[in-house]
Amino acid sequence: NAGVTQTPKFRVLKTGQSMTLLCAQDMNHEYMYWYRQDPGMGLRLIHYSVGEGTTAKGEVPDGYNVSRLKKQNFLLGLESAAPSQTSVYFCASSFRHPGGYEQYFGPGTRLTVT
Amino acid sequence: DQQVKQNSPSLSVQEGRISILNCDYTNSMFDYFLWYKKYPAEGPTFLISISSIKDKNEDGRFTVFLNKSAKHLSLHIVPSQPGDSAVYFCAGGGATNKLIFGTGTLLAVQP
């Protein structure tokens, strides 16, 4: 049971290049999320999904697109990378239980845009 | 508007003593709160949670206290160990599936 995995772990992009970050979970969770973490800013929600085929915008969606074609996968795309997108990206998944929606996180992807 | 605030960016504690991490919130609609722990180069991991109808939840060395009237929660770690050194995030959740995270507090436990 791998939990939440993210690919790649590190990436360096030049301004204007594109890339896709892959998140996979094997816990059969309905809900998936993409966050970015920046110094002093905590975890900010980029996009999220409440089920296969659905996506929604979070707090900081500009410059990113997502897709959830399969329940276990959630892809985050950067069409034209900018230095402001240099960050650590975390994927998470969750399910609903009586206590709420505890989220399980992947190990992160460190992205540098030069 | 920052709905969840952790006003102390860092905290240093001696091994064996108590660590107290604080969190304030503004959203009265939160139904539950969670604490996550994050080591460098790893993702956050769930530590402990509390429902808004309770004022205390305990799990081993970790206890979370909730003061709804003050919109304040705290995480107590007793006794603190060097392995507890990490960034701690508090988060609030409500009726939706989303969590709102604070900015984190870096705890350093000195041997």
Side-chain angles (χ1 to χ4, degrees):
Chain A
N1 198 348
V4 180
T5 57
Q6 293 183 231
T7 310
K9 287 186 168 45
F10 304 93
R11 186 73 186 268
V12 179
L13 286 179
K14 293 188 189 312
T15 297
Q17 287 184 319
S18 63
M19 79 163 293
T20 300
L21 282 68
L22 171 64
C23 175
Q25 53 97 2
D26 60 3
M27 297 175 283
N28 202 34
H29 287 172
E30 286 295 329
Y31 309 96
M32 296 188 74
Y33 315 81
W34 275 107
Y35 293 90
R36 59 178 289 172
Q37 185 196 6
D38 303 292
M41 303 292 285
L43 292 161
R44 293 185 293 169
L45 184 63
I46 304 171
H47 285 281
Y48 65 99
S49 168
V50 299
E52 182 179 315
T54 74
T55 63
K57 294 181 180 179
E59 181 187 356
V60 288
D62 294 341
Y64 305 95
N65 57 74
V66 288
S67 64
R68 183 111 181 258
L69 298 179
K70 292 183 179 180
K71 185 177 184 178
Q72 63 267 34
N73 294 338
F74 195 28
L75 278 64
L76 177 71
L78 286 73
E79 291 183 346
S80 179
S84 61
Q85 294 178 304
T86 293
S87 188
V88 181
Y89 292 85
F90 290 101
C91 176
S93 69
S94 72
F95 68 100
R96 183 172 183 170
H97 62 81
Y101 297 87
E102 175 189 324
Q103 294 183 11
Y104 297 76
F105 284 82
T109 295
R110 183 173 294 275
L111 175 65
T112 302
V113 183
T114 62
Chain B
D1 173 34
Q2 200 172 356
Q3 299 182 48
V4 178
K5 300 178 185 178
Q6 294 178 256
N7 292 318
S8 298
S10 63
L11 174 68
S12 183
V13 172
Q14 287 294 121
E15 181 179 3
R17 307 295 288 266
I18 184 172
S19 296
I20 300 176
L21 296 97
N22 294 304
C23 183
D24 297 297
Y25 63 96
T26 58
N27 189 341
S28 303
M29 301 303 289
F30 286 140
D31 292 326
Y32 59 99
F33 301 89
L34 308 94
W35 284 93
Y36 281 82
K37 178 179 181 178
K38 184 186 177 307
Y39 291 120
E42 295 184 11
T45 55
F46 169 75
L47 189 58
I48 191 169
S49 64
I50 187 167
S51 165
S52 63
I53 63 173
K54 296 186 180 251
D55 55 18
K56 177 182 175 181
N57 188 27
E58 192 171 355
D59 184 1
R61 295 185 297 114
F62 303 91
T63 303
V64 57
F65 295 92
L66 175 62
N67 182 333
K68 284 188 70 174
S69 61
K71 292 191 172 67
H72 177 83
L73 64 154
S74 60
L75 175 68
H76 293 212
I77 307 174
V78 183
S80 301
Q81 300 173 353
D84 296 328
S85 297
V87 176
Y88 290 79
F89 292 100
C90 67
T96 73
N97 61 295
K98 293 184 285 184
L99 297 177
I100 307 297
F101 286 86
T103 52
T105 297
L106 174 62
L107 173 66
V109 180
Q110 309 296 336

